[in-house]
Amino acid sequence: MPTDEIHAALSGDESAFAELTERHRRELHVHCYRMLASFDEAEDAVQETLLRAWRSRDSFDGSSLFRAWLYRIATNVCLDMLRRTSRHLTMMHSFAEVTWLQPYPDRLLDEVAPSDEQPDAVAVARETIELAFVAAMQVLPPRQRAAFIARDVLGWAASETAAALDTSVAAANSALQRARATMQNHLPARRAEWPARELNEEERTLLGRFIDAHERCDAAAAVAIAAQDLRITMPPHPMCFEGLAMITPLLERALGEDRDGDWRLLPTQANRMPTAASYLRRPGDSEFRAFKFDVLRVENGVIAEITTFGPELFPAFGLPPTL
């Protein structure tokens, strides 16, 4: 990045500063999302990051990359937000405990990729953005969380991590080791085998069958593609349904003759996972209206977990409010 461009931005040229920081907005948003697990809160954090960066632009001395400087500010904004909320889990059985969890649209994750303007950018690996990873991060104390992301996700050196957290290298390394131990206890054992890949054919096929079963209101077909120990959670509601013995009657009611209306579903992706966006047309209505997202985790050829979210983020997914 040309030195004169940074100089203009840091000398008080608001338009130059806005243009410079806008290039990093999406990756900063993903970073804050990993810290906070909330799409909306991450947006607030990015806005505060850019405001702080503008106000403290004189503190950038050029000894580090401008991008890294923004990341340090964003990290501390998230730490401040977490301190204010005092929100911290000590254990996590399911996503039901992470009531603030929101999905992240793949269409926006795709913006975080190397380009001519940002050759040092890194595509978002599936293993660091799946819901299980983001939710497990919430078990870590905030500074451990920041150290873990800096070292194991962003690939920062120990000295860079310590500088960002305003602590010693020894303290940053200690926080990292504790974080790694906690994450091993809370992530699925299969995490070591997660590849950074696109959806595979099996996942696409199951998503198609999931959509077909719901549009036809065929509860038996929905059950046929589910694991016996299927789990369903619905953040922000602290409910967890586990096992087909419990879930099958719920599906039969939701898709049976006494259902709330007719369904139309569109395939999409959230957190690099197969996702269905559902629209409901209630009796007497002429339109299908945005209703929910179902994010699917596929394992051993069946749907092992469904995480259901409300329709608030349909615009972020580029989806219309009605069909």
Side-chain angles (χ1 to χ4, degrees):
M1 192 175 296
T3 302
D4 56 351
E5 186 178 17
I6 294 178
H7 178 74
L10 300 179
S11 296
D13 185 331
E14 290 191 42
S15 61
F17 187 85
E19 181 179 351
L20 184 61
T21 55
E22 186 63 28
R23 299 173 187 173
H24 305 287
R25 176 183 286 273
R26 180 57 56 201
E27 61 179 316
L28 290 173
H29 192 262
V30 173
H31 175 59
C32 293
Y33 173 75
R34 287 195 183 102
M35 285 286 294
L36 304 170
S38 166
F39 185 94
D40 290 334
E41 290 179 10
E43 183 60 34
D44 293 340
V46 171
Q47 296 292 351
E48 176 62 20
T49 295
L50 300 185
L51 181 60
R52 286 192 192 183
W54 170 253
R55 289 174 174 171
S56 62
R57 60 190 183 278
D58 291 343
S59 68
F60 180 73
D61 58 8
S63 61
S64 63
L65 292 174
F66 184 77
R67 176 171 174 259
W69 181 68
L70 289 176
Y71 266 94
R72 286 197 292 273
I73 296 173
T75 297
N76 283 283
V77 166
C78 290
L79 290 174
D80 289 344
M81 291 176 68
L82 291 168
R83 276 192 288 268
R84 286 196 298 270
T85 62
S86 299
R87 191 170 64 195
H88 172 55
L89 299 176
T90 55
M91 291 294 294
M92 184 187 68
H93 171 70
S94 74
F95 300 156
E97 287 99 1
V98 192
T99 57
W100 56 93
L101 182 66
Q102 290 183 307
Y104 204 106
D106 274 25
R107 65 186 288 267
L108 300 183
L109 290 175
D110 290 341
E111 294 178 5
V112 186
S115 66
D116 291 340
E117 290 186 347
Q118 292 179 268
D120 56 344
V122 179
V124 179
R126 181 169 183 170
E127 65 184 30
T128 68
I129 203 68
E130 275 202 22
L131 291 178
F133 182 91
V134 175
M137 292 290 299
Q138 306 308 296
V139 180
L140 298 176
R143 291 177 70 82
Q144 288 185 30
R145 196 181 310 175
F148 184 88
I149 293 175
R151 294 295 305 279
D152 285 8
V153 177
L154 299 178
W156 289 6
S159 57
E160 293 176 299
T161 302
L165 298 178
D166 192 24
T167 190
S168 67
V169 170
N173 284 339
S174 177
L176 173 64
Q177 295 306 319
R178 293 196 301 273
R180 283 173 174 168
T182 301
M183 289 293 279
Q184 287 175 356
N185 291 333
H186 286 87
L187 281 176
R190 65 187 183 87
R191 189 213 166 196
E193 301 174 0
W194 281 352
R197 55 166 172 75
E198 299 297 320
L199 298 190
N200 60 33
E201 190 59 35
E202 179 180 71
E203 290 170 318
R204 294 182 188 280
T205 298
L206 280 170
L207 176 60
R209 292 177 65 186
F210 178 90
I211 288 174
D212 178 66
H214 283 75
E215 289 190 334
R216 291 190 296 105
C217 295
D218 187 339
V223 169
I225 56 175
Q228 285 295 319
D229 58 350
L230 175 68
R231 173 186 291 170
I232 298 178
T233 52
M234 305 177 179
H237 306 293
M239 298 180 292
C240 181
F241 304 96
E242 295 187 89
L244 284 183
M246 174 186 290
I247 294 170
T248 298
L250 300 178
L251 285 172
E252 290 173 344
R253 284 199 295 272
L255 301 177
E257 293 183 359
D258 295 330
R259 63 184 182 272
D260 293 332
D262 297 318
W263 295 98
R264 289 291 180 271
L265 282 71
L266 298 180
T268 185
Q269 290 181 213
N271 300 74
R272 303 302 191 202
M273 303 170 74
T275 302
S278 295
Y279 292 78
L280 176 64
R281 184 179 64 191
R282 297 185 185 277
D285 198 348
S286 61
E287 293 185 304
F288 289 86
R289 302 185 185 276
F291 190 79
K292 64 184 175 77
F293 289 105
D294 288 309
V295 183
L296 313 181
R297 178 169 64 83
V298 174
E299 197 168 87
N300 299 323
V302 290
I303 297 171
E305 186 167 15
I306 302 172
T307 311
T308 300
F309 299 98
E312 295 79 15
L313 291 180
F314 268 58
F317 279 77
L319 296 170
T322 60
L323 293 178

